[in-house]
Amino acid sequence: MSKVDVLSQNCKGVDQCGICKYVCPKDLYRDSKEMNSAGYIPPEMTDEASCTACENCMIYCPDMAIVVHKDAQDGPPAGEGSDD
Amino acid sequence: MIKARTALAGTHFDMGNWACAEGAIAAGCNFVAGYPITPASEVANYMAKRLPQVGGIFLQTEDEIAAICSVIGASWAGCRALTVTSGPGISLMQENIGFAVSTETPIVIIDVQRLGPSTGVPSIGMAGDIVQVARGSHGDYQIIALCPESPQEMFDLTIRAFNIAETYRVPVFLMADGFIGHMREQIIIPPADQIDLVERRVPTVADPMKRQDFLDIGVAPMPVFGKGLQAHVTSSCHDEHGMRNLTEPAVMHRYVMNPIQKILTHRDQIVEVREDYVNADLVLVTYGTVSRSARAAARLARNQGLRVGTLRLITCWPFPEEAIRKAASRVNNLLVLENNSGQLYPYIRAEAAHASRVEFLGPQFLGQIHDPNAILEKVKEMLA
Amino acid sequence: MNATVHPLRKYARPHVTRTTTCPGCGNGIATQAILRAIEELDLRMDDFVFVSGIGCSAWIPSPFFAADTLHTTHGRPVAFATGVKLGLPEKHVMVVSGDGDLTAIGGNHLIHAARRNIGLTVVLMNNGIYGMTGGQTAPTTPRGISTVTSPYGSLEHSFDIAPMIVSAGAAYVARWTTHHPRQLTKAIKKGLTKKGFALIEVVTQCPVQFGRASKLGGAVEILKHFKSNSVRIEKARKMDPAELLGKIVVGEFVDIEKPELSSEWTRLIHSMREGRQ
């Protein structure tokens, strides 16, 4: 089962936004090859096995375009300490 | 069924502003916001004491803008809401009076008018706001305004203002002035069972996309907050569901025109005039406080054998054009009396001048009420 | 195959399928923080009335949130919300609007609502500029920055909003940036449970207008700026003013208990009713 779903139609583009790429602690996002219908290039996940389900990308995405499916065995969120 | 509250039924001798406040209480008003201003303050002062006794709230706001906004907010929260001020306050409220028009929000605005422009003379009455209440907010719209001539009418017409506001989902003005606001006269408050109140209609369908909440010329039920109706209220151009639409000209047209048509198609039910000019050669056309001088002048004239009648506009907006046309078709001379430099005069002339001679007379000095003898002199000059 | 639906989508009006914000705008981060706070508190949208003013951030609840929503005139949402709260004291009344709306044209209403301690939760999106109208100077624009209305650099000093609202009398004030969405959610939750006036200032990025004016760049660059310049209030209190120049002090500025206006009115009306009987 996939850990991360990119709702690519909601995305406003990694080139102009790109917050998902920035907040991923494992640097797992890259630009996808195809534009969505609004002309934006959404991100895609490169290595889902390495994803820790920290949810950073989901929580920071301004367009609610990423859903992280958290399993019980996933640890606590990794983004908690990003405040100083 | 909403019931009138009239703890103070009976005959009183008090100020117009007191009568207005008691009228609001009788009409079930349970939220008043206002900012102190002469000559309107007595309404707010009295409400601050009286409202909590009947389960209502009085909020003294930081300015008149906050007063009108909180009153609109309270109306959406289900309250029967009122604000009271004078001309300078109306000037500050204008933008959000347009908000009430656009969002079809029932509220009552008491304007105890004073002499202006600007700060002017706080304690002196003048009908200076008659056009600004109809045209003062930007954009295009219609307004409803009532003109009391006595403390008794400040009671009666405040109740009528609430009923009109709830019937048509509109802001309604009561255009009093410093003279009748501060005048003491007999006020008869009828028992509660003799006061009819209009209750607000609220929709029952839960989904706003399956309801018409706005732009119904026949008046849509109001999706008040707190009932799970997911109402979407915006003063931006919106469609029948209240959803913002800034792209479609057909929606823009309905957004402007339907609230206008809502008032104009009900003009006959809204407009109220007093006509007393059978067989007259001249009719004195008035509204508000100056109507008292007009009646006195007509009496003086008739005592001298002059056939002078009166036409009083109790509703000045929407403009009672039918009543003016009727008077002009039956009487050869119209003398318009206003406590200003002639604000309604051009509107009256536009309806009457093709059929009748129309002239204007202000008071000798603005700041005074018309002297009936001065009116009589002008009448004689016109009938000579 | 079922298409994935965002877990917070259940709080949105079904027919509103896209947001109107520019790419990388911080409004969406705050949108999620608000909705997540509501979810974590197990509140329903029917418990809320949302009130907003004019500006980009005023469109956060309107029309997206599936709740009673009042989208008002410029600067006035707090005044409208005051009437709503007094009419519906049992509801959560949340104001969402921007720094221009709430501290320039509407500044007077904001400080007076804090003084009254009326139970509103105000989420103030501070992007330091007028975004919707095309990048004009705001009361929050840092001194020296060139905008379309300060082409030679702004000569004016800017508001420090959170401490200003503490002085005005609010019961709860917090400030976080959009780099702190989890802390922001916690602060909104605290604001919603606080009996009294709560202000949550969200220092947020406008990549289009502020990014250009400040020469900071796009959304990611501004977020990095927030990260490297944020100082926790506990630490800031021990620092010299000179050291704090250009820093963003984040955290809880005040958290106190004091009588709240709408419940004081309920109490007064109740006591008068008792007195009459």
Side-chain angles (χ1 to χ4, degrees):
Chain A
M1 193 191 119
S2 66
K3 268 184 177 160
V4 175
D5 277 322
V6 176
L7 312 176
S8 52
Q9 284 307 320
N10 290 0
C11 177
K12 287 180 182 160
V14 278
D15 52 337
Q16 289 182 67
C17 173
I19 292 174
C20 49
K21 287 169 75 177
Y22 162 61
V23 297
C24 178
K26 301 274 185 180
D27 202 14
L28 299 177
Y29 281 107
R30 69 172 177 213
D31 300 6
S32 66
K33 302 264 182 316
E34 276 178 46
M35 283 182 184
N36 65 17
S37 63
Y40 296 118
I41 296 171
E44 63 183 20
M45 172 64 74
T46 54
D47 175 14
E48 213 153 15
S50 301
C51 171
T52 63
C54 76
E55 295 189 334
N56 263 5
C57 54
M58 176 164 82
I59 288 171
Y60 277 82
C61 174
D63 297 288
M64 285 167 53
I66 300 176
V67 178
V68 177
H69 306 280
K70 215 169 161 60
D71 291 333
Q73 63 264 37
D74 291 321
E80 195 69 46
S82 61
D83 62 323
D84 34 41
Chain B
M1 179 69 194
I2 185 166
K3 288 216 175 81
R5 286 189 305 223
T6 50
L8 301 178
T11 303
H12 303 266
F13 185 79
D14 216 312
M15 271 201 261
N17 282 347
W18 180 89
C20 172
E22 273 303 326
I25 296 287
C29 173
N30 55 1
F31 186 88
V32 172
Y35 185 85
I37 189 168
T38 305
S41 292
E42 293 84 5
V43 181
N45 298 353
Y46 185 71
M47 280 302 206
K49 186 176 174 193
R50 187 81 169 89
L51 264 178
Q53 298 171 352
V54 294
I57 290 176
F58 172 79
L59 178 72
Q60 183 175 324
T61 49
E62 54 275 21
D63 57 27
E64 285 89 345
I65 300 173
I68 184 96
C69 293
S70 58
V71 158
I72 294 169
S75 180
W76 277 99
C79 298
R80 289 165 83 89
L82 171 147
T83 184
V84 52
T85 187
S86 186
I90 298 289
S91 298
L92 284 175
M93 290 180 183
Q94 285 288 13
E95 181 189 18
N96 292 291
I97 289 165
F99 182 97
V101 170
S102 157
T103 56
E104 305 184 51
T105 309
I107 55 167
V108 171
I109 306 165
I110 311 296
D111 182 2
V112 189
Q113 299 168 90
R114 64 192 229 182
L115 187 142
S118 193
T119 310
V121 186
S123 55
I124 293 294
M126 179 177 153
D129 302 341
I130 293 297
V131 170
Q132 90 140 329
V133 299
R135 298 285 180 266
S137 197
H138 57 279
D140 205 354
Y141 63 101
Q142 283 282 331
I143 208 80
I144 298 175
L146 313 177
C147 301
E149 61 156 19
S150 61
Q152 179 68 50
E153 281 197 350
M154 284 187 75
F155 178 87
D156 298 338
L157 293 183
T158 299
I159 296 172
R160 180 159 164 71
F162 271 102
N163 282 343
I164 294 174
E166 294 294 343
T167 303
Y168 301 107
R169 275 182 64 186
V170 288
V172 177
F173 280 96
L174 185 79
M175 304 303 294
D177 65 30
F179 294 128
I180 53 163
H182 287 163
M183 181 185 293
R184 281 168 198 273
E185 224 170 37
Q186 177 177 276
I187 300 152
I188 297 169
I189 298 185
D193 58 10
Q194 288 174 25
I195 296 173
D196 292 328
L197 295 184
V198 173
E199 198 167 6
R200 185 176 297 184
R201 291 185 306 131
V202 178
T204 47
V205 177
D207 181 357
M209 301 311 285
K210 295 188 177 130
R211 303 191 299 255
Q212 174 162 11
D213 286 345
F214 300 93
L215 308 182
D216 184 350
I217 291 167
V219 191
M222 182 173 173
V224 296
F225 295 160
K227 298 181 183 297
L229 294 171
Q230 298 185 3
H232 190 267
V233 185
T234 175
S235 60
S236 294
C237 178
H238 51 258
D239 64 15
E240 282 70 8
H241 310 295
M243 293 301 156
R244 203 160 35 241
N245 185 317
L246 310 179
T247 52
E248 287 175 64
V251 177
M252 295 173 201
H253 184 81
R254 290 203 298 278
Y255 166 75
V256 178
M257 289 308 298
N258 289 18
I260 290 176
Q261 287 304 330
K262 184 175 71 174
I263 290 179
L264 293 184
T265 56
H266 295 99
R267 194 195 287 259
D268 289 348
Q269 289 98 297
I270 298 164
V271 168
E272 207 182 339
V273 298
R274 287 278 184 282
E275 296 163 317
D276 180 15
Y277 55 76
V278 180
N279 296 326
D281 294 320
L282 183 147
V283 60
L284 301 170
V285 184
T286 63
Y287 56 88
T289 308
V290 65
S291 308
R292 303 167 73 101
S293 299
R295 259 198 315 280
R299 214 163 31 237
L300 287 175
R302 282 197 297 269
N303 287 344
Q304 297 183 20
L306 299 167
R307 296 196 292 184
V308 174
T310 54
L311 168 58
R312 179 159 82 91
L313 313 179
I314 295 174
T315 315
C316 66
W317 304 110
F319 186 66
E321 49 191 44
E322 195 59 48
I324 300 293
R325 279 202 294 272
K326 183 176 150 197
S329 70
R330 297 188 184 179
V331 184
N332 288 330
N333 295 282
L334 266 59
L335 177 56
V336 179
L337 306 171
E338 295 186 75
N339 228 328
N340 52 44
S341 68
Q343 293 201 2
L344 274 196
Y345 178 50
Y347 294 86
I348 294 168
R349 239 185 19 186
E351 297 301 331
H354 66 285
S356 176
R357 177 180 173 201
V358 190
E359 294 205 11
F360 173 79
L361 182 70
Q364 186 190 4
F365 298 111
L366 281 171
Q368 289 184 336
I369 299 173
H370 287 67
D371 178 350
N373 288 305
I375 300 172
L376 182 61
E377 262 177 56
K378 177 72 178 174
V379 165
K380 283 179 177 167
E381 181 195 310
M382 283 179 75
L383 293 179
Chain C
M1 185 189 126
N2 287 335
T4 303
V5 176
H6 196 285
L8 299 175
R9 181 68 222 183
K10 60 179 183 261
Y11 298 115
R13 293 182 192 267
H15 75 281
V16 182
T17 52
R18 54 176 62 239
T19 55
T20 49
T21 47
C22 304
C25 175
N27 280 350
I29 299 176
T31 302
Q32 278 207 53
I34 293 167
L35 295 178
R36 199 171 297 106
I38 291 168
E39 182 174 55
E40 289 177 12
L41 289 172
D42 204 20
L43 296 171
R44 300 171 317 134
M45 290 306 251
D46 284 353
D47 299 330
F48 279 83
V49 178
F50 293 93
V51 185
S52 65
I54 296 293
C56 302
S57 50
W59 289 20
I60 287 176
S62 161
F64 195 60
F65 290 2
D68 290 328
T69 316
L70 185 63
H71 174 234
T72 71
T73 47
H74 195 23
R76 316 301 168 201
V78 169
F80 282 94
T82 297
V84 173
K85 181 67 182 176
L86 289 173
L88 290 169
E90 73 282 7
K91 296 287 175 186
H92 288 285
V93 179
M94 178 182 276
V95 174
V96 186
S97 226
D99 50 310
D101 191 79
L102 293 173
T103 71
I105 185 167
N108 203 24
H109 309 309
L110 187 67
I111 55 174
H112 282 278
R115 171 183 65 76
R116 293 186 181 108
N117 197 36
I118 183 160
L120 308 177
T121 308
V122 179
V123 177
L124 187 155
M125 301 297 293
N126 179 2
N127 62 7
I129 203 156
Y130 284 85
M132 192 175 259
T133 47
Q136 293 83 1
T137 312
T140 46
T141 303
R143 191 162 179 267
I145 283 184
S146 301
T147 72
V148 294
T149 50
S150 61
Y152 309 108
S154 170
L155 304 176
E156 300 183 8
H157 303 273
S158 58
F159 269 148
D160 194 2
I161 297 172
M164 174 168 79
I165 302 309
V166 173
S167 305
Y172 182 78
V173 175
R175 179 199 280 146
W176 294 101
T177 80
T178 42
H179 207 286
H180 308 93
R182 291 180 174 88
Q183 294 84 347
L184 187 54
T185 300
K186 276 186 202 153
I188 295 169
K189 281 165 72 176
K190 259 187 125 164
L192 284 171
T193 45
K194 171 62 64 177
K195 211 167 165 55
F197 185 87
L199 178 97
I200 297 96
E201 181 185 350
V202 187
V203 177
T204 181
Q205 75 275 17
C206 171
V208 175
Q209 302 296 352
F210 191 82
R212 186 159 51 204
S214 64
K215 301 186 174 63
L216 278 171
V220 169
E221 287 72 29
I222 304 177
L223 283 175
K224 283 179 184 165
H225 170 83
F226 290 164
K227 183 180 166 64
S228 54
N229 286 285
S230 291
V231 179
R232 285 273 201 161
I233 187 163
E234 296 78 11
K235 190 176 166 195
R237 282 186 177 131
K238 295 176 198 141
M239 290 167 67
D240 288 337
E243 285 181 283
L244 283 169
L245 271 180
K247 298 290 180 197
I248 306 161
V249 179
V250 296
E252 283 183 356
F253 285 68
V254 74
D255 181 7
I256 52 169
E257 305 298 326
K258 58 198 281 193
E260 187 273 330
L261 184 65
S262 69
S263 38
E264 287 295 290
W265 266 106
T266 305
R267 186 186 55 75
L268 173 65
I269 289 168
H270 189 73
S271 71
M272 297 202 78
R273 198 171 289 145
E274 303 255 289
R276 267 211 319 277
Q277 281 161 359

